[in-house]
Amino acid sequence: MESPTARALMAFEAVQGSPGITADRLAERLGGISERAARRYIAILREAGIPIESVRGPYGGYRVGRGARPAPLIFTQAEALGLVMAVLDGHHAAGDTTNPVGSALGKIVRVLPEALGAQVEAVRRTAAPAPDRAAARPDPEITSRLVQACAHNQVVRVSYRSEAGNDSTTDADPWAIVVRHGRWYLLCHAHRPAARRAYRIDRVTRADILPETFVPPADLDPIAVLDEHLATGWEYHAEILIEATPAEVAESAGTALGTLAPGPRPGTTLLTGTTSAPYWYARQLTAIPVPYRILGGPEIRTAARHIATRMLDATRPAQP
C-alpha cells in the first residue's frame, strides 16, 4: 500500500466510504501522511476524472460527486485475513465498521447493485450473532504477520503471555498456523528452549518478522503434530481401552486426546494421553460412540464418575 497509485485508490475508497471526510482524517487513514500529501492524492483523483467535491466550513470535507465509477475493490491485509478468520471460526462482526470483518464487508456492500445492497445492509445492521464463548479470536494484524512469516519461511520474534499471566519473548521458526477447537495456534520451533511449541495466537502480544530464514520440516502434517503436542506433556495421565479400531476412533473422536494404538484384542484401541483438565478430558470421552474403559488415570476416572452420577441423577423422576 506504499505506491502512489495504491494510496490514490485508498483515498478514493476513504472518501467514498466516509462522505465529508476532512484532510486531516484522510491523512490519518492513508497511514499518517501529511495533510498536504492527502490533498495531493485528491488532486490526482480529480486529474483522473473522478469527481471529488470539497465543501468548506465546520461540516465540510471531501465527498464523491455524481458520475463516479466504482473503484477497484482493495482490502487491507487485516481486512482480508479477518474475512478468512470469520469464515473459519464462524465469527461475524458484520455490523461493526471498526472491525476488519465489518470494514471489509462494507466495501463489498458498496459495490453491490442498489436493491441487493440495501437488503444486505439491512441484514448486516440488524443481525445479532451469538458468538462461541469458548472460541478465542486473535488479533488479525498479529495473525497476518505470522501468516506472512510462515509463507516465506522467515524467523519471528514472538512476545507471549501465558495463561498464568507470565510474559516471555523468544525467536521461533513458524511452521504453520492451525485452527483447532476454536483456538488459533502457531506451530513452531522455539529457539529458546530449542523445542517444538504451539502458541495460542490470541495470547501473542507482539510478532516481529526477522531477516533470518529457516527450512521447515519435510512432510510436515501440522494438524497431526499439533494434536500430538496438545495431548502430551500435561500433569494428569490417561489410558483408555476403546472397543473400536484406531481408524474408527480417529474418525469419531480425532487424535487430540492422545496417541491411538492397537489394543490387546483385535478390533480395540488403546488411547494414551495427558491433560491438565481431567473434567474436560472425561467430557470428551463421552463423545466416543462405542464402549470404553478407563484403565489408567485416577483423576480422569474420578471426573468420569462425577459426570456419570450427574447424568443418572438427571434421569430420575422428580420428587413430589
Side-chain angles (χ1 to χ4, degrees):
M1 287 299 180
E2 297 299 326
S3 73
T5 302
R7 278 238 171 95
L9 290 172
M10 289 179 66
F12 183 23
E13 193 176 82
V15 174
Q16 192 176 44
S18 303
I21 190 171
T22 58
D24 59 331
R25 286 173 52 212
L26 179 59
E28 184 179 347
R29 288 280 293 273
L30 295 180
I33 63 176
S34 66
E35 290 186 33
R36 181 179 178 183
R39 293 190 185 96
R40 188 166 62 248
Y41 287 116
I42 293 295
I44 291 174
L45 292 173
R46 287 169 172 164
E47 290 173 2
I50 299 174
I52 303 295
E53 300 174 349
S54 58
V55 179
R56 297 184 180 277
Y59 301 103
Y62 297 112
R63 65 187 68 246
V64 179
R66 292 182 176 276
R69 290 171 296 179
L73 196 60
I74 298 177
F75 292 118
T76 67
Q77 200 171 34
E79 288 172 343
L81 186 61
L83 281 178
V84 174
M85 293 167 69
V87 171
L88 288 176
D89 71 5
H91 169 54
H92 303 285
D96 184 0
T97 57
T98 64
N99 182 279
V101 174
S103 174
L105 185 59
K107 295 179 180 181
I108 295 174
V109 171
R110 286 197 295 272
V111 299
L112 291 174
E114 184 175 357
L116 178 58
Q119 294 179 25
V120 172
E121 182 65 16
V123 172
R124 175 192 180 202
R125 295 297 180 187
T126 59
D132 178 5
R133 295 183 179 181
R137 299 172 185 97
D139 180 85
E141 295 282 0
I142 290 176
T143 310
S144 178
R145 284 193 286 274
L146 295 175
V147 168
Q148 180 182 343
C150 290
H152 296 93
N153 296 338
Q154 291 178 280
V155 177
V156 291
R157 181 161 293 154
V158 176
S159 297
Y160 191 75
R161 178 165 295 158
S162 69
E163 187 173 6
N166 300 319
D167 294 317
S168 62
T169 300
T170 185
D171 294 351
D173 301 342
W175 292 345
I177 290 175
V178 182
V179 183
R180 202 80 168 99
H181 306 301
R183 303 281 192 271
W184 289 66
Y185 293 93
L186 172 66
L187 184 64
C188 64
H189 174 79
H191 294 189
R192 295 188 312 274
R196 181 181 65 194
R197 289 288 184 267
Y199 294 121
R200 274 181 49 175
I201 301 180
D202 61 291
R203 292 180 182 161
V204 175
T205 57
R206 180 176 179 133
D208 297 307
I209 299 177
L210 304 181
E212 295 86 359
T213 59
F214 66 95
V215 178
D219 302 324
L220 175 69
D221 184 342
I223 296 177
V225 173
L226 178 69
D227 282 350
E228 179 185 349
H229 180 85
L230 294 178
T232 58
W234 305 102
E235 56 264 50
Y236 301 114
H237 173 74
E239 186 176 38
I240 317 295
L241 179 63
I242 305 171
E243 299 294 329
T245 66
E248 292 168 338
V249 175
E251 184 177 351
S252 63
T255 58
L257 295 179
T259 302
L260 304 176
R265 302 189 313 276
T268 63
T269 296
L270 192 62
L271 165 63
T272 56
T274 62
T275 183
S276 62
Y279 199 88
W280 173 88
Y281 196 96
R283 286 207 316 270
Q284 305 311 304
L285 292 176
T286 62
I288 299 175
V290 295
Y292 61 88
R293 181 175 296 276
I294 302 173
L295 302 181
E299 297 83 5
I300 309 296
R301 189 180 291 113
T302 298
R305 189 177 292 115
H306 183 219
I307 292 172
T309 300
R310 288 186 59 199
M311 295 180 71
L312 285 173
D313 288 343
T315 64
R316 295 193 178 108
Q319 295 296 324

